[in-house]
Amino acid sequence: VQFVTDLLKSRYNHETKFLNLQSIRTEPSYPKDFIGFRAHSKHSKFGPVLCKAIQELCPGVETISFEDNELVHLGHLSTLSQRVPNLVNLSLKNNKIHTLNDLQPINGKEFTHLRELLLVGNPLREKEIGKTGSDLTYKSNIKKMFPSLSLLDNEALVGEITFAIEDDKKLPAQVKSGFFDNQETSNAVIPFLESFFTLFDTNRQGLYNFYADNAQFSLSVTKYDQQKHSKDLFKGWSDMNRNLDTLKMAEKRVQRLYQGPDRIIQALSQLPVTVHEIRSPPEKKLFIFDCFQLTQHDKTLLYIHVHGEFKVQSQTKRSFDHTFVLEPAQPGSRSAHANIPVSILNEILVVRPYGSNTAWLNTETIPSNLPNDIILQTYKQQFQLNDPQFHICLEFCKKSGLNFATALDCLNQAGWNPVNAYELFESVKAQIPPSAYQI
Protein backbone atom coordinates (compact mmCIF):
# COMPACT_ATOMS: atom_id res chain seq x y z
CA VAL A 1 0.00 0.00 0.00
CA GLN A 2 2.85 2.38 0.79
CA PHE A 3 4.40 1.71 -2.60
CA VAL A 4 1.09 2.56 -4.32
CA THR A 5 0.69 5.75 -2.30
CA ASP A 6 4.24 6.93 -3.09
CA LEU A 7 3.85 5.96 -6.73
CA LEU A 8 0.70 8.00 -7.25
CA LYS A 9 2.04 11.05 -5.40
CA SER A 10 5.15 11.08 -7.57
CA ARG A 11 3.45 10.40 -10.88
CA TYR A 12 0.29 12.50 -10.77
CA ASN A 13 0.36 15.97 -12.30
CA HIS A 14 -2.40 18.02 -10.70
CA GLU A 15 -2.18 20.80 -13.28
CA THR A 16 -2.63 18.60 -16.35
CA LYS A 17 -4.71 16.01 -14.47
CA PHE A 18 -2.45 13.33 -15.94
CA LEU A 19 -1.51 10.15 -14.06
CA ASN A 20 1.47 8.46 -15.69
CA LEU A 21 1.68 4.83 -14.61
CA GLN A 22 3.89 3.77 -17.49
CA SER A 23 6.32 0.93 -16.71
CA ILE A 24 5.80 0.96 -12.96
CA ARG A 25 8.21 -1.98 -12.57
CA THR A 26 11.05 0.41 -13.44
CA GLU A 27 10.26 2.57 -10.41
CA PRO A 28 13.28 2.55 -8.03
CA SER A 29 11.01 1.81 -5.07
CA TYR A 30 9.32 -1.11 -6.83
CA PRO A 31 9.24 -3.89 -4.19
CA LYS A 32 11.34 -6.95 -4.83
CA ASP A 33 9.28 -9.97 -5.92
CA PHE A 34 6.22 -7.71 -6.29
CA ILE A 35 3.98 -9.24 -8.98
CA GLY A 36 1.80 -6.18 -9.66
CA PHE A 37 0.10 -6.18 -13.08
CA ARG A 38 1.94 -9.32 -14.13
CA ALA A 39 -0.37 -11.46 -11.97
CA HIS A 40 -2.52 -13.62 -14.25
CA SER A 41 -5.38 -13.84 -11.78
CA LYS A 42 -8.32 -11.72 -12.82
CA HIS A 43 -9.07 -11.27 -9.14
CA SER A 44 -5.73 -9.74 -8.17
CA LYS A 45 -5.89 -7.55 -5.07
CA PHE A 46 -3.37 -5.10 -6.48
CA GLY A 47 -5.76 -3.66 -9.07
CA PRO A 48 -8.64 -2.76 -6.72
CA VAL A 49 -6.19 -1.25 -4.21
CA LEU A 50 -4.65 0.87 -6.96
CA CYS A 51 -8.04 2.04 -8.32
CA LYS A 52 -9.21 3.07 -4.86
CA ALA A 53 -5.97 4.96 -4.24
CA ILE A 54 -6.34 6.78 -7.59
CA GLN A 55 -9.78 7.98 -6.50
CA GLU A 56 -8.44 9.26 -3.17
CA LEU A 57 -5.06 10.68 -4.20
CA CYS A 58 -5.67 11.90 -7.76
CA PRO A 59 -8.75 14.13 -7.59
CA GLY A 60 -10.11 15.18 -11.00
CA VAL A 61 -7.79 12.87 -12.96
CA GLU A 62 -8.69 12.92 -16.66
CA THR A 63 -5.84 11.02 -18.30
CA ILE A 64 -4.23 7.77 -17.18
CA SER A 65 -1.45 5.82 -18.92
CA PHE A 66 -0.94 2.14 -18.13
CA GLU A 67 1.54 1.81 -20.97
CA ASP A 68 4.12 -0.97 -20.93
CA ASN A 69 3.03 -2.87 -17.82
CA GLU A 70 2.75 -6.42 -19.22
CA LEU A 71 -1.03 -6.30 -18.81
CA VAL A 72 -2.56 -9.53 -20.13
CA HIS A 73 -6.15 -8.66 -19.24
CA LEU A 74 -8.00 -5.81 -17.54
CA GLY A 75 -9.28 -7.74 -14.56
CA HIS A 76 -6.90 -5.63 -12.49
CA LEU A 77 -8.82 -2.53 -13.53
CA SER A 78 -12.38 -3.85 -13.15
CA THR A 79 -13.23 -1.18 -10.56
CA LEU A 80 -11.63 1.74 -12.42
CA SER A 81 -14.93 2.97 -13.92
CA GLN A 82 -16.46 3.11 -10.45
CA ARG A 83 -13.50 4.97 -8.96
CA VAL A 84 -12.78 7.32 -11.88
CA PRO A 85 -16.06 7.63 -13.80
CA ASN A 86 -15.07 10.91 -15.51
CA LEU A 87 -11.91 9.59 -17.16
CA VAL A 88 -11.35 11.21 -20.57
CA ASN A 89 -8.18 9.61 -21.95
CA LEU A 90 -6.81 6.10 -21.33
CA SER A 91 -3.63 4.53 -22.68
CA LEU A 92 -3.05 0.78 -22.65
CA LYS A 93 -0.22 0.89 -25.19
CA ASN A 94 2.47 -1.78 -25.43
CA ASN A 95 0.91 -4.42 -23.22
CA LYS A 96 0.04 -8.08 -23.83
CA ILE A 97 -3.73 -7.89 -24.32
CA HIS A 98 -4.68 -10.59 -26.86
CA THR A 99 -8.46 -10.66 -27.21
CA LEU A 100 -11.54 -8.47 -26.95
CA ASN A 101 -12.62 -10.55 -23.97
CA ASP A 102 -9.51 -9.36 -22.14
CA LEU A 103 -10.93 -5.82 -22.36
CA GLN A 104 -14.37 -6.74 -21.04
CA PRO A 105 -13.64 -6.44 -17.27
CA ILE A 106 -13.06 -2.70 -17.54
CA ASN A 107 -16.77 -2.10 -18.34
CA GLY A 108 -16.17 0.33 -21.18
CA LYS A 109 -19.81 1.44 -21.43
CA GLU A 110 -19.59 2.87 -17.92
CA PHE A 111 -16.89 5.34 -19.02
CA THR A 112 -19.40 7.80 -20.40
CA HIS A 113 -16.83 10.60 -20.73
CA LEU A 114 -14.00 8.55 -22.26
CA ARG A 115 -12.86 10.28 -25.45
CA GLU A 116 -9.58 8.59 -26.38
CA LEU A 117 -8.20 5.06 -26.04
CA LEU A 118 -4.76 3.78 -27.08
CA LEU A 119 -4.27 0.06 -27.77
CA VAL A 120 -1.30 0.26 -30.13
CA GLY A 121 1.36 -2.33 -29.37
CA ASN A 122 -1.03 -5.02 -28.12
CA PRO A 123 -1.44 -8.38 -29.91
CA LEU A 124 -5.19 -7.69 -29.87
CA ARG A 125 -4.93 -4.89 -32.43
CA GLU A 126 -2.79 -6.78 -34.92
CA LYS A 127 -4.88 -9.93 -34.48
CA GLU A 128 -8.21 -8.17 -35.14
CA ILE A 129 -6.90 -6.25 -38.15
CA GLY A 130 -5.33 -9.43 -39.54
CA LYS A 131 -8.70 -11.18 -39.64
CA THR A 132 -10.03 -8.97 -42.45
CA GLY A 133 -7.01 -7.04 -43.65
CA SER A 134 -8.75 -3.84 -42.56
CA ASP A 135 -9.14 -1.94 -39.29
CA LEU A 136 -12.85 -1.33 -39.85
CA THR A 137 -14.03 -4.35 -37.87
CA TYR A 138 -11.47 -3.68 -35.16
CA LYS A 139 -12.65 -0.09 -34.78
CA SER A 140 -16.28 -1.13 -34.83
CA ASN A 141 -15.78 -3.73 -32.09
CA ILE A 142 -13.90 -1.32 -29.85
CA LYS A 143 -16.53 1.36 -30.44
CA LYS A 144 -19.23 -1.05 -29.29
CA MET A 145 -17.32 -1.69 -26.07
CA PHE A 146 -16.54 1.99 -25.49
CA PRO A 147 -19.46 3.88 -27.11
CA SER A 148 -18.30 7.35 -26.05
CA LEU A 149 -14.93 7.08 -27.87
CA SER A 150 -14.07 9.59 -30.56
CA LEU A 151 -10.38 8.67 -30.93
CA LEU A 152 -8.84 5.21 -31.13
CA ASP A 153 -5.08 4.83 -31.58
CA ASN A 154 -4.86 8.51 -32.58
CA GLU A 155 -7.45 8.11 -35.34
CA ALA A 156 -10.92 9.62 -35.35
CA LEU A 157 -13.89 7.32 -34.99
CA VAL A 158 -17.33 7.92 -36.46
CA GLY A 159 -20.63 6.43 -35.44
CA GLU A 160 -22.59 4.01 -37.57
CA ILE A 161 -23.94 5.60 -40.73
CA THR A 162 -27.58 4.79 -41.42
CA PHE A 163 -30.18 6.15 -43.78
CA ALA A 164 -33.30 5.05 -41.98
CA ILE A 165 -35.56 8.06 -41.51
CA GLU A 166 -37.55 8.14 -38.31
CA ASP A 167 -41.27 8.69 -38.69
CA ASP A 168 -41.19 12.09 -37.00
CA LYS A 169 -38.34 13.51 -39.10
CA LYS A 170 -38.97 15.94 -41.95
CA LEU A 171 -36.77 16.32 -44.99
CA PRO A 172 -35.62 19.84 -45.92
CA ALA A 173 -37.15 19.59 -49.40
CA GLN A 174 -40.18 17.80 -50.71
CA VAL A 175 -39.51 14.56 -52.56
CA LYS A 176 -41.38 14.12 -55.83
CA SER A 177 -43.63 11.12 -56.30
CA GLY A 178 -41.49 9.34 -58.90
CA PHE A 179 -40.19 9.88 -62.40
CA PHE A 180 -40.59 8.37 -65.88
CA ASP A 181 -38.70 10.16 -68.61
CA ASN A 182 -41.28 9.27 -71.29
CA GLN A 183 -44.27 7.10 -72.12
CA GLU A 184 -42.13 4.42 -73.75
CA THR A 185 -40.23 3.96 -70.48
CA SER A 186 -43.46 3.71 -68.52
CA ASN A 187 -44.83 1.14 -70.96
CA ALA A 188 -41.78 -1.07 -70.43
CA VAL A 189 -41.27 -0.60 -66.70
CA ILE A 190 -44.76 -1.13 -65.25
CA PRO A 191 -45.36 -4.69 -66.51
CA PHE A 192 -41.72 -5.62 -65.81
CA LEU A 193 -41.90 -4.58 -62.16
CA GLU A 194 -45.26 -6.24 -61.60
CA SER A 195 -43.98 -9.53 -63.00
CA PHE A 196 -40.58 -9.34 -61.33
CA PHE A 197 -41.76 -8.64 -57.78
CA THR A 198 -44.58 -11.18 -58.02
CA LEU A 199 -42.08 -13.91 -58.95
CA PHE A 200 -39.50 -12.66 -56.46
CA ASP A 201 -42.06 -13.19 -53.69
CA THR A 202 -43.59 -16.44 -54.92
CA ASN A 203 -41.26 -18.29 -57.32
CA ARG A 204 -37.73 -17.00 -57.75
CA GLN A 205 -36.84 -19.87 -60.07
CA GLY A 206 -39.35 -18.31 -62.46
CA LEU A 207 -37.06 -15.27 -62.81
CA TYR A 208 -34.43 -17.28 -64.70
CA ASN A 209 -35.39 -16.02 -68.16
CA PHE A 210 -35.40 -12.41 -66.97
CA TYR A 211 -31.59 -12.40 -66.83
CA ALA A 212 -29.18 -12.00 -69.74
CA ASP A 213 -26.38 -14.54 -70.00
CA ASN A 214 -23.86 -11.96 -68.78
CA ALA A 215 -26.09 -10.50 -66.04
CA GLN A 216 -24.65 -9.54 -62.66
CA PHE A 217 -26.32 -9.33 -59.25
CA SER A 218 -25.11 -8.19 -55.86
CA LEU A 219 -26.68 -7.60 -52.46
CA SER A 220 -25.67 -4.91 -50.01
CA VAL A 221 -26.75 -4.72 -46.38
CA THR A 222 -26.30 -1.21 -45.01
CA LYS A 223 -24.60 -0.39 -41.74
CA TYR A 224 -27.00 -0.12 -38.86
CA ASP A 225 -26.99 0.74 -35.18
CA GLN A 226 -26.69 -2.61 -33.43
CA GLN A 227 -27.66 -1.02 -30.14
CA LYS A 228 -31.10 -0.18 -31.62
CA HIS A 229 -31.61 -3.31 -33.70
CA SER A 230 -31.32 -7.04 -33.01
CA LYS A 231 -28.20 -8.82 -34.24
CA ASP A 232 -30.58 -11.11 -36.16
CA LEU A 233 -32.06 -8.18 -38.10
CA PHE A 234 -30.46 -9.37 -41.35
CA LYS A 235 -30.27 -13.08 -40.66
CA GLY A 236 -30.38 -14.80 -44.03
CA TRP A 237 -29.10 -11.69 -45.81
CA SER A 238 -25.69 -11.00 -44.26
CA ASP A 239 -23.99 -14.07 -45.74
CA MET A 240 -24.37 -12.54 -49.21
CA ASN A 241 -23.57 -8.97 -48.16
CA ARG A 242 -21.24 -7.24 -50.63
CA ASN A 243 -21.24 -3.81 -49.01
CA LEU A 244 -17.85 -2.53 -50.21
CA ASP A 245 -17.60 -0.17 -47.27
CA THR A 246 -17.28 -3.10 -44.88
CA LEU A 247 -16.15 -6.01 -47.09
CA LYS A 248 -12.46 -5.39 -47.75
CA MET A 249 -11.20 -8.85 -48.76
CA ALA A 250 -10.84 -9.01 -52.54
CA GLU A 251 -11.62 -12.74 -52.67
CA LYS A 252 -14.99 -12.31 -50.94
CA ARG A 253 -15.85 -9.31 -53.10
CA VAL A 254 -15.41 -11.51 -56.17
CA GLN A 255 -17.34 -14.42 -54.63
CA ARG A 256 -20.33 -12.24 -53.77
CA LEU A 257 -20.71 -10.77 -57.25
CA TYR A 258 -23.07 -13.30 -58.83
CA GLN A 259 -22.73 -13.59 -62.60
CA GLY A 260 -24.99 -15.42 -65.02
CA PRO A 261 -28.58 -16.57 -64.45
CA ASP A 262 -27.61 -19.88 -62.81
CA ARG A 263 -25.59 -18.28 -60.01
CA ILE A 264 -28.03 -15.40 -59.64
CA ILE A 265 -31.08 -17.65 -59.22
CA GLN A 266 -29.13 -19.86 -56.81
CA ALA A 267 -28.28 -16.78 -54.75
CA LEU A 268 -31.81 -15.37 -54.83
CA SER A 269 -33.23 -18.72 -53.72
CA GLN A 270 -31.16 -18.57 -50.53
CA LEU A 271 -32.67 -15.26 -49.41
CA PRO A 272 -35.58 -15.18 -46.95
CA VAL A 273 -39.14 -15.22 -48.29
CA THR A 274 -40.44 -11.70 -48.89
CA VAL A 275 -43.74 -9.94 -49.52
CA HIS A 276 -43.74 -6.77 -51.61
CA GLU A 277 -47.24 -5.24 -51.41
CA ILE A 278 -46.96 -3.97 -54.95
CA ARG A 279 -50.76 -3.63 -55.25
CA SER A 280 -51.22 -1.93 -51.90
CA PRO A 281 -53.89 0.79 -51.44
CA PRO A 282 -52.71 4.07 -52.97
CA GLU A 283 -52.77 6.02 -49.73
CA LYS A 284 -50.06 3.76 -48.27
CA LYS A 285 -47.47 4.87 -50.86
CA LEU A 286 -45.10 2.02 -50.07
CA PHE A 287 -42.99 2.42 -53.24
CA ILE A 288 -41.52 5.11 -55.43
CA PHE A 289 -39.94 4.68 -58.87
CA ASP A 290 -37.39 6.62 -60.89
CA CYS A 291 -36.96 5.30 -64.43
CA PHE A 292 -35.19 6.61 -67.51
CA GLN A 293 -33.44 5.57 -70.70
CA LEU A 294 -29.79 6.20 -71.47
CA THR A 295 -27.79 5.46 -74.61
CA GLN A 296 -24.31 4.01 -74.15
CA HIS A 297 -22.09 2.81 -77.00
CA ASP A 298 -25.03 2.94 -79.43
CA LYS A 299 -27.13 0.75 -77.13
CA THR A 300 -30.22 2.05 -75.36
CA LEU A 301 -30.44 0.89 -71.75
CA LEU A 302 -33.26 1.31 -69.28
CA TYR A 303 -32.42 2.28 -65.68
CA ILE A 304 -34.92 1.53 -62.92
CA HIS A 305 -34.59 2.59 -59.28
CA VAL A 306 -37.24 1.29 -56.89
CA HIS A 307 -37.40 2.46 -53.27
CA GLY A 308 -39.79 0.92 -50.79
CA GLU A 309 -40.38 -1.77 -48.23
CA PHE A 310 -41.12 -5.47 -47.94
CA LYS A 311 -42.07 -7.91 -45.22
CA VAL A 312 -40.27 -11.10 -44.26
CA GLN A 313 -41.90 -14.23 -42.85
CA SER A 314 -42.06 -12.80 -39.34
CA GLN A 315 -44.09 -9.89 -40.80
CA THR A 316 -41.31 -7.51 -39.80
CA LYS A 317 -40.49 -4.80 -42.32
CA ARG A 318 -37.28 -3.93 -44.14
CA SER A 319 -36.63 -0.96 -46.39
CA PHE A 320 -34.90 -1.52 -49.72
CA ASP A 321 -33.48 0.09 -52.84
CA HIS A 322 -33.60 -2.09 -55.95
CA THR A 323 -31.72 -0.95 -59.03
CA PHE A 324 -31.93 -2.57 -62.47
CA VAL A 325 -30.19 -1.95 -65.77
CA LEU A 326 -32.21 -3.48 -68.61
CA GLU A 327 -31.66 -3.94 -72.34
CA PRO A 328 -34.20 -4.87 -75.00
CA ALA A 329 -34.41 -8.68 -75.22
CA GLN A 330 -32.06 -9.77 -78.00
CA PRO A 331 -33.53 -11.89 -80.83
CA GLY A 332 -33.08 -15.57 -80.02
CA SER A 333 -32.38 -14.90 -76.32
CA ARG A 334 -34.09 -16.78 -73.51
CA SER A 335 -35.98 -13.61 -72.59
CA ALA A 336 -37.28 -13.24 -76.13
CA HIS A 337 -38.37 -16.89 -76.30
CA ALA A 338 -40.22 -16.40 -72.98
CA ASN A 339 -41.99 -13.30 -74.37
CA ILE A 340 -40.17 -11.04 -71.91
CA PRO A 341 -39.41 -7.80 -73.80
CA VAL A 342 -36.38 -6.84 -71.70
CA SER A 343 -33.39 -8.60 -70.10
CA ILE A 344 -31.64 -7.70 -66.86
CA LEU A 345 -27.97 -6.81 -67.34
CA ASN A 346 -27.22 -5.57 -63.85
CA GLU A 347 -29.11 -5.68 -60.56
CA ILE A 348 -28.22 -4.32 -57.14
CA LEU A 349 -30.40 -4.88 -54.09
CA VAL A 350 -29.74 -2.76 -51.00
CA VAL A 351 -31.50 -3.82 -47.80
CA ARG A 352 -31.80 -1.50 -44.80
CA PRO A 353 -33.50 -1.36 -41.42
CA TYR A 354 -37.07 -0.18 -41.87
CA GLY A 355 -37.10 3.59 -42.26
CA SER A 356 -40.74 4.21 -43.23
CA ASN A 357 -41.95 6.01 -46.35
CA THR A 358 -41.75 9.45 -44.75
CA ALA A 359 -39.51 10.74 -47.53
CA TRP A 360 -42.24 10.53 -50.15
CA LEU A 361 -45.42 10.08 -48.11
CA ASN A 362 -46.36 13.76 -48.34
CA THR A 363 -46.09 13.94 -52.11
CA GLU A 364 -49.24 14.42 -54.18
CA THR A 365 -51.88 12.10 -52.72
CA ILE A 366 -53.97 9.78 -54.85
CA PRO A 367 -57.55 9.74 -53.59
CA SER A 368 -59.17 6.53 -52.42
CA ASN A 369 -61.31 6.28 -55.57
CA LEU A 370 -58.12 5.62 -57.55
CA PRO A 371 -55.78 2.60 -57.56
CA ASN A 372 -52.04 2.82 -56.86
CA ASP A 373 -49.42 4.31 -59.18
CA ILE A 374 -48.64 1.08 -60.99
CA ILE A 375 -52.29 0.39 -61.87
CA LEU A 376 -52.76 4.00 -62.96
CA GLN A 377 -49.81 3.69 -65.32
CA THR A 378 -51.42 0.55 -66.71
CA TYR A 379 -54.64 2.52 -67.34
CA LYS A 380 -52.62 5.17 -69.09
CA GLN A 381 -51.26 2.55 -71.49
CA GLN A 382 -54.58 0.73 -71.88
CA PHE A 383 -56.50 3.86 -72.88
CA GLN A 384 -53.56 5.29 -74.86
CA LEU A 385 -53.56 8.59 -73.00
CA ASN A 386 -50.87 11.19 -73.47
CA ASP A 387 -49.40 12.96 -70.42
CA PRO A 388 -51.79 16.00 -70.46
CA GLN A 389 -54.85 13.74 -70.84
CA PHE A 390 -53.67 11.47 -68.05
CA HIS A 391 -53.24 14.36 -65.61
CA ILE A 392 -56.56 15.94 -66.62
CA CYS A 393 -58.28 12.64 -65.88
CA LEU A 394 -56.54 12.37 -62.49
CA GLU A 395 -57.60 15.88 -61.54
CA PHE A 396 -61.15 15.19 -62.63
CA CYS A 397 -61.21 12.02 -60.49
CA LYS A 398 -60.06 14.01 -57.47
CA LYS A 399 -62.63 16.74 -57.99
CA SER A 400 -65.61 14.50 -58.80
CA GLY A 401 -64.80 11.40 -56.75
CA LEU A 402 -65.42 9.20 -59.82
CA ASN A 403 -63.22 6.23 -60.55
CA PHE A 404 -60.77 6.43 -63.43
CA ALA A 405 -62.86 4.65 -66.09
CA THR A 406 -66.02 6.67 -65.38
CA ALA A 407 -64.11 9.96 -65.26
CA LEU A 408 -62.47 9.09 -68.58
CA ASP A 409 -65.89 8.37 -70.16
CA CYS A 410 -67.21 11.71 -68.89
CA LEU A 411 -64.23 13.59 -70.31
CA ASN A 412 -64.59 11.88 -73.67
CA GLN A 413 -68.26 12.89 -73.84
CA ALA A 414 -67.28 16.49 -73.01
CA GLY A 415 -64.59 16.62 -75.68
CA TRP A 416 -61.84 16.72 -73.04
CA ASN A 417 -63.02 20.06 -71.71
CA PRO A 418 -62.74 19.73 -67.88
CA VAL A 419 -65.30 22.53 -67.24
CA ASN A 420 -67.89 20.97 -69.53
CA ALA A 421 -67.14 17.55 -68.11
CA TYR A 422 -67.82 18.73 -64.56
CA GLU A 423 -71.08 20.41 -65.62
CA LEU A 424 -72.11 17.11 -67.23
CA PHE A 425 -71.19 15.27 -64.05
CA GLU A 426 -73.29 17.65 -61.90
CA SER A 427 -76.29 17.28 -64.19
CA VAL A 428 -76.38 13.48 -63.98
CA LYS A 429 -74.88 12.98 -60.53
CA ALA A 430 -78.16 11.79 -59.02
CA GLN A 431 -78.36 8.94 -61.54
CA ILE A 432 -74.73 7.78 -61.24
CA PRO A 433 -74.53 4.31 -59.55
CA PRO A 434 -72.27 3.71 -56.50
CA SER A 435 -69.98 1.50 -58.60
CA ALA A 436 -68.80 4.60 -60.51
CA TYR A 437 -67.14 5.83 -57.33
CA GLN A 438 -65.34 2.57 -56.57
CA ILE A 439 -62.04 1.25 -57.85
Side-chain angles (χ1 to χ4, degrees), residues 355-368:
S356 85
N357 57 348
T358 301
W360 61 86
L361 185 62
N362 294 322
T363 56
E364 185 179 3
T365 302
I366 298 174
S368 59

PDB file of all heavy atoms in Angstrom, residues 355-368:
ATOM      1  N   GLY A 355     -37.191   2.153 -42.490  1.00  0.00           N
ATOM      2  CA  GLY A 355     -37.100   3.585 -42.263  1.00  0.00           C
ATOM      3  C   GLY A 355     -38.363   4.334 -42.616  1.00  0.00           C
ATOM      4  O   GLY A 355     -38.342   5.559 -42.697  1.00  0.00           O
ATOM      5  N   SER A 356     -39.449   3.636 -42.869  1.00  0.00           N
ATOM      6  CA  SER A 356     -40.744   4.214 -43.226  1.00  0.00           C
ATOM      7  C   SER A 356     -40.694   4.868 -44.605  1.00  0.00           C
ATOM      8  O   SER A 356     -39.650   4.963 -45.250  1.00  0.00           O
ATOM      9  CB  SER A 356     -41.225   5.222 -42.181  1.00  0.00           C
ATOM     10  OG  SER A 356     -40.681   6.501 -42.410  1.00  0.00           O
ATOM     11  N   ASN A 357     -41.852   5.328 -45.061  1.00  0.00           N
ATOM     12  CA  ASN A 357     -41.948   6.013 -46.351  1.00  0.00           C
ATOM     13  C   ASN A 357     -42.120   7.513 -46.174  1.00  0.00           C
ATOM     14  O   ASN A 357     -42.677   8.199 -47.025  1.00  0.00           O
ATOM     15  CB  ASN A 357     -43.120   5.444 -47.159  1.00  0.00           C
ATOM     16  CG  ASN A 357     -44.434   5.554 -46.401  1.00  0.00           C
ATOM     17  OD1 ASN A 357     -44.445   5.854 -45.206  1.00  0.00           O
ATOM     18  ND2 ASN A 357     -45.546   5.314 -47.081  1.00  0.00           N
ATOM     19  N   THR A 358     -41.605   8.029 -45.051  1.00  0.00           N
ATOM     20  CA  THR A 358     -41.754   9.455 -44.747  1.00  0.00           C
ATOM     21  C   THR A 358     -41.231  10.340 -45.874  1.00  0.00           C
ATOM     22  O   THR A 358     -41.791  11.390 -46.163  1.00  0.00           O
ATOM     23  CB  THR A 358     -40.994   9.788 -43.448  1.00  0.00           C
ATOM     24  OG1 THR A 358     -41.528   8.994 -42.387  1.00  0.00           O
ATOM     25  CG2 THR A 358     -41.129  11.260 -43.098  1.00  0.00           C
ATOM     26  N   ALA A 359     -40.155   9.903 -46.525  1.00  0.00           N
ATOM     27  CA  ALA A 359     -39.506  10.738 -47.533  1.00  0.00           C
ATOM     28  C   ALA A 359     -40.443  11.116 -48.666  1.00  0.00           C
ATOM     29  O   ALA A 359     -40.349  12.204 -49.217  1.00  0.00           O
ATOM     30  CB  ALA A 359     -38.275  10.017 -48.085  1.00  0.00           C
ATOM     31  N   TRP A 360     -41.340  10.221 -49.041  1.00  0.00           N
ATOM     32  CA  TRP A 360     -42.239  10.534 -50.151  1.00  0.00           C
ATOM     33  C   TRP A 360     -43.721  10.436 -49.791  1.00  0.00           C
ATOM     34  O   TRP A 360     -44.584  10.570 -50.638  1.00  0.00           O
ATOM     35  CB  TRP A 360     -41.950   9.625 -51.348  1.00  0.00           C
ATOM     36  CG  TRP A 360     -42.146   8.156 -51.094  1.00  0.00           C
ATOM     37  CD1 TRP A 360     -43.298   7.454 -51.196  1.00  0.00           C
ATOM     38  CD2 TRP A 360     -41.138   7.203 -50.716  1.00  0.00           C
ATOM     39  NE1 TRP A 360     -43.091   6.126 -50.900  1.00  0.00           N
ATOM     40  CE2 TRP A 360     -41.769   5.942 -50.603  1.00  0.00           C
ATOM     41  CE3 TRP A 360     -39.770   7.295 -50.460  1.00  0.00           C
ATOM     42  CZ2 TRP A 360     -41.077   4.791 -50.241  1.00  0.00           C
ATOM     43  CZ3 TRP A 360     -39.081   6.149 -50.100  1.00  0.00           C
ATOM     44  CH2 TRP A 360     -39.722   4.924 -49.997  1.00  0.00           C
ATOM     45  N   LEU A 361     -44.025  10.243 -48.512  1.00  0.00           N
ATOM     46  CA  LEU A 361     -45.417  10.080 -48.106  1.00  0.00           C
ATOM     47  C   LEU A 361     -46.241  11.333 -48.367  1.00  0.00           C
ATOM     48  O   LEU A 361     -47.419  11.259 -48.694  1.00  0.00           O
ATOM     49  CB  LEU A 361     -45.497   9.725 -46.614  1.00  0.00           C
ATOM     50  CG  LEU A 361     -46.898   9.415 -46.075  1.00  0.00           C
ATOM     51  CD1 LEU A 361     -47.483   8.197 -46.787  1.00  0.00           C
ATOM     52  CD2 LEU A 361     -46.851   9.185 -44.578  1.00  0.00           C
ATOM     53  N   ASN A 362     -45.618  12.500 -48.230  1.00  0.00           N
ATOM     54  CA  ASN A 362     -46.363  13.757 -48.344  1.00  0.00           C
ATOM     55  C   ASN A 362     -46.339  14.338 -49.749  1.00  0.00           C
ATOM     56  O   ASN A 362     -46.605  15.506 -49.953  1.00  0.00           O
ATOM     57  CB  ASN A 362     -45.799  14.782 -47.365  1.00  0.00           C
ATOM     58  CG  ASN A 362     -46.030  14.352 -45.932  1.00  0.00           C
ATOM     59  OD1 ASN A 362     -47.058  13.797 -45.612  1.00  0.00           O
ATOM     60  ND2 ASN A 362     -45.040  14.596 -45.081  1.00  0.00           N
ATOM     61  N   THR A 363     -45.975  13.485 -50.732  1.00  0.00           N
ATOM     62  CA  THR A 363     -46.086  13.937 -52.110  1.00  0.00           C
ATOM     63  C   THR A 363     -47.562  13.915 -52.507  1.00  0.00           C
ATOM     64  O   THR A 363     -48.433  13.543 -51.725  1.00  0.00           O
ATOM     65  CB  THR A 363     -45.279  13.027 -53.049  1.00  0.00           C
ATOM     66  OG1 THR A 363     -45.738  11.673 -52.882  1.00  0.00           O
ATOM     67  CG2 THR A 363     -43.804  13.106 -52.725  1.00  0.00           C
ATOM     68  N   GLU A 364     -47.856  14.299 -53.732  1.00  0.00           N
ATOM     69  CA  GLU A 364     -49.242  14.419 -54.181  1.00  0.00           C
ATOM     70  C   GLU A 364     -50.027  13.144 -53.890  1.00  0.00           C
ATOM     71  O   GLU A 364     -49.632  12.049 -54.277  1.00  0.00           O
ATOM     72  CB  GLU A 364     -49.266  14.702 -55.684  1.00  0.00           C
ATOM     73  CG  GLU A 364     -50.647  14.964 -56.218  1.00  0.00           C
ATOM     74  CD  GLU A 364     -50.594  15.259 -57.700  1.00  0.00           C
ATOM     75  OE1 GLU A 364     -49.501  15.194 -58.271  1.00  0.00           O
ATOM     76  OE2 GLU A 364     -51.654  15.545 -58.272  1.00  0.00           O
ATOM     77  N   THR A 365     -51.114  13.255 -53.179  1.00  0.00           N
ATOM     78  CA  THR A 365     -51.876  12.099 -52.716  1.00  0.00           C
ATOM     79  C   THR A 365     -52.906  11.653 -53.750  1.00  0.00           C
ATOM     80  O   THR A 365     -53.619  12.459 -54.324  1.00  0.00           O
ATOM     81  CB  THR A 365     -52.606  12.430 -51.406  1.00  0.00           C
ATOM     82  OG1 THR A 365     -51.635  12.823 -50.445  1.00  0.00           O
ATOM     83  CG2 THR A 365     -53.362  11.217 -50.895  1.00  0.00           C
ATOM     84  N   ILE A 366     -52.963  10.347 -53.959  1.00  0.00           N
ATOM     85  CA  ILE A 366     -53.968   9.781 -54.850  1.00  0.00           C
ATOM     86  C   ILE A 366     -55.198   9.476 -54.027  1.00  0.00           C
ATOM     87  O   ILE A 366     -55.120   8.781 -53.016  1.00  0.00           O
ATOM     88  CB  ILE A 366     -53.446   8.482 -55.500  1.00  0.00           C
ATOM     89  CG1 ILE A 366     -52.209   8.790 -56.341  1.00  0.00           C
ATOM     90  CG2 ILE A 366     -54.526   7.839 -56.355  1.00  0.00           C
ATOM     91  CD1 ILE A 366     -51.544   7.556 -56.897  1.00  0.00           C
ATOM     92  N   PRO A 367     -56.352   9.982 -54.390  1.00  0.00           N
ATOM     93  CA  PRO A 367     -57.555   9.740 -53.587  1.00  0.00           C
ATOM     94  C   PRO A 367     -57.947   8.268 -53.583  1.00  0.00           C
ATOM     95  O   PRO A 367     -57.524   7.490 -54.427  1.00  0.00           O
ATOM     96  CB  PRO A 367     -58.606  10.610 -54.277  1.00  0.00           C
ATOM     97  CG  PRO A 367     -58.093  10.813 -55.655  1.00  0.00           C
ATOM     98  CD  PRO A 367     -56.601  10.830 -55.558  1.00  0.00           C
ATOM     99  N   SER A 368     -58.818   7.925 -52.624  1.00  0.00           N
ATOM    100  CA  SER A 368     -59.174   6.525 -52.423  1.00  0.00           C
ATOM    101  C   SER A 368     -60.003   5.945 -53.558  1.00  0.00           C
ATOM    102  O   SER A 368     -60.178   4.731 -53.631  1.00  0.00           O
ATOM    103  CB  SER A 368     -59.939   6.367 -51.100  1.00  0.00           C
ATOM    104  OG  SER A 368     -61.105   7.167 -51.109  1.00  0.00           O
TER     105      SER A 368
END
